[in-house]
Amino acid sequence: MSNPKKIVVCGAGGFIGGHLVADLRRQGHTHLRAVDIKPLGEWFQKFDNVENRVLDLQQKEACESALEGCGLVYNLAADMGGMGFIEANKALCMLTVLINTHLLLAARKQGAERFFYSSSACVYAADKQVDPDVTALREEDAYPAMPEDGYGWEKLFSERMCRHFTEDFGLTTRVARFHNVYGPEGTYDGGREKAPAAICRKVIEAKLSGKHEIEIWGDGHQTRSFQYIDDCILGMQKIMHSGNVTMPINLGSSEMVTINQLVDIAQEIAGVKLKRRHNLKAPKGVNGRNSDNTLIQKLLGWEPSISLKNGLEKTYRWIYDDITPKA
């Protein structure tokens, strides 16, 4: 009997990839391969009963090795981070195009059944995100193209690659545009962290130090929606296995808040009141961004179930426990 085909998670040492592997294990999947460029000791989550491989997926040969015997492929691998990292590392973000290109070639060669690509809301046209009171972004708002420089262009190009591999080679691809995923077991410092984790860390540090101040990037009026990791993992798999989601689709929450309101929630969780210093020279991204979930509700009947307050509290507690010495 031939070996069953593998479910391969690329970027498995990262935040979303680690949670996906954990969920697939909970479902009872045993033929799992987890791949990441980071040394195993630096993975956020690692499991002994999973085939773990350390590979540089920008290299064609590494992608062929990673997808050997694959059935389903989840590509979550990327050189990326929060807005500070994205704005300062445009070339590095663009080089991620090598990962998806080589993985698509390897998936086609291996006869993969399905290929999932994690795109981003950063593909959306900048001129539709200039007002904090933004109209929620629909899938068609990615064109005419004016995405986030560097990172957004790479994501939009890789979406097109998936489309053309389906059209020209018959490889079944699925693409989700992630909107600000957050939760425990992820980066909260070092420069690659995103807003929810960064704000939780800053509030915790202010509380522990007794210096009740917090720096906020921008004026705090910029708006976003934030999706808890558990909702993302469920939505991602629904998209992967769907029969009718053949175009890039939003995967996010439609619960929009300002960054100042995000700080309000974190302060309430911590039980502190902080003086705010707004750094207007720091990277802040677009003025407004929110997810229009009309299409995913129509096609999959899906909507995130975890509120920002509940999800942020779980995230705060995990970061707090990770920062403070264990009793």
Side-chain angles (χ1 to χ4, degrees):
M1 182 181 295
S2 61
N3 290 328
K5 291 187 174 182
K6 295 277 187 179
I7 301 176
V8 183
V9 178
C10 301
F15 165 51
I16 299 176
H19 279 279
L20 176 58
V21 174
D23 189 67
L24 291 169
R25 288 178 70 254
R26 281 192 292 269
Q27 294 177 42
H29 293 287
T30 56
H31 300 283
L32 300 174
R33 180 179 297 143
V35 184
D36 203 281
I37 191 173
K38 295 186 292 292
L40 285 171
E42 297 179 12
W43 291 26
F44 286 110
Q45 298 187 66
K46 179 174 68 71
F47 305 97
D48 292 336
N49 61 345
V50 173
E51 181 188 345
N52 299 307
R53 293 191 184 183
V54 176
L55 294 168
D56 180 359
L57 295 176
Q58 289 193 12
Q59 306 299 319
K60 184 170 183 269
E61 296 77 13
C63 289
E64 291 179 350
S65 174
L67 301 197
E68 183 180 2
C70 68
L72 302 180
V73 180
Y74 288 90
N75 179 17
L76 304 168
D79 197 352
M80 58 84 68
M83 189 50 59
F85 179 85
I86 288 172
E87 289 197 3
N89 296 277
K90 294 182 177 68
L92 287 179
C93 290
M94 288 292 288
L95 283 170
T96 296
V97 73
L98 295 172
I99 297 176
N100 198 58
T101 302
H102 290 147
L103 283 174
L104 282 169
L105 287 166
R108 180 195 176 202
K109 183 177 181 180
Q110 289 291 328
E113 297 165 10
R114 294 201 170 203
F115 184 99
F116 176 93
Y117 176 64
S118 56
S119 187
S120 166
C122 288
V123 303
Y124 284 113
D127 62 357
K128 295 184 181 294
Q129 304 175 78
V130 296
D131 188 342
D133 189 21
V134 67
T135 299
L137 295 161
R138 300 168 300 172
E139 283 75 7
E140 56 265 34
D141 289 333
Y143 294 94
M146 196 193 306
E148 185 83 37
D149 202 10
Y151 180 71
W153 276 108
E154 186 278 322
K155 289 295 186 183
L156 194 61
F157 176 84
S158 292
E159 285 188 7
R160 303 292 289 194
M161 285 285 286
C162 289
R163 170 180 169 176
H164 297 315
F165 264 69
T166 297
E167 293 172 341
D168 294 357
F169 305 132
L171 176 62
T172 299
T173 61
R174 295 289 183 263
V175 176
R177 292 173 179 161
F178 289 2
H179 287 251
N180 292 313
V181 186
Y182 73 99
E185 303 289 349
T187 301
Y188 59 80
D189 60 8
R192 290 182 183 257
E193 68 275 19
K194 295 190 175 182
I199 287 173
C200 285
R201 186 203 78 237
K202 290 179 179 181
V203 170
I204 291 166
E205 289 173 345
K207 181 175 182 177
L208 293 175
S209 68
K211 185 179 180 181
H212 287 185
E213 290 186 1
I214 184 172
E215 181 185 78
I216 299 171
W217 288 7
D219 60 14
H221 296 303
Q222 61 268 37
T223 52
R224 296 290 187 275
S225 64
F226 300 98
Q227 175 186 202
Y228 190 66
I229 183 64
D230 290 0
D231 283 326
C232 177
I233 295 301
L234 176 60
M236 188 192 329
Q237 292 176 80
K238 283 183 174 292
I239 292 168
M240 173 63 121
H241 294 286
S242 68
N244 57 353
V245 181
T246 57
M247 72 300 289
I249 192 168
N250 282 334
L251 182 59
S253 170
S254 56
E255 181 187 356
M256 188 174 74
V257 295
T258 67
I259 298 302
N260 282 330
Q261 289 171 329
L262 186 64
V263 175
D264 290 340
I265 297 171
Q267 284 187 157
E268 182 182 347
I269 293 167
V272 296
K273 187 74 173 178
L274 305 178
K275 179 182 177 181
R276 303 183 186 192
R277 291 182 291 105
H278 290 91
N279 184 349
L280 302 182
K281 295 183 179 180
K284 70 180 186 69
V286 297
N287 288 325
R289 177 180 292 155
N290 192 18
S291 178
D292 185 320
N293 287 351
T294 302
L295 187 59
I296 197 167
Q297 288 173 348
K298 176 183 177 182
L299 296 180
L300 297 178
W302 181 88
E303 176 76 11
S305 62
I306 300 171
S307 70
L308 178 57
K309 183 176 181 180
N310 289 341
L312 200 67
E313 182 166 6
K314 295 177 182 180
T315 306
Y316 179 96
R317 301 301 176 199
W318 180 83
I319 295 174
Y320 184 92
D321 289 343
D322 202 59
I323 287 177
T324 55
K326 304 295 187 292

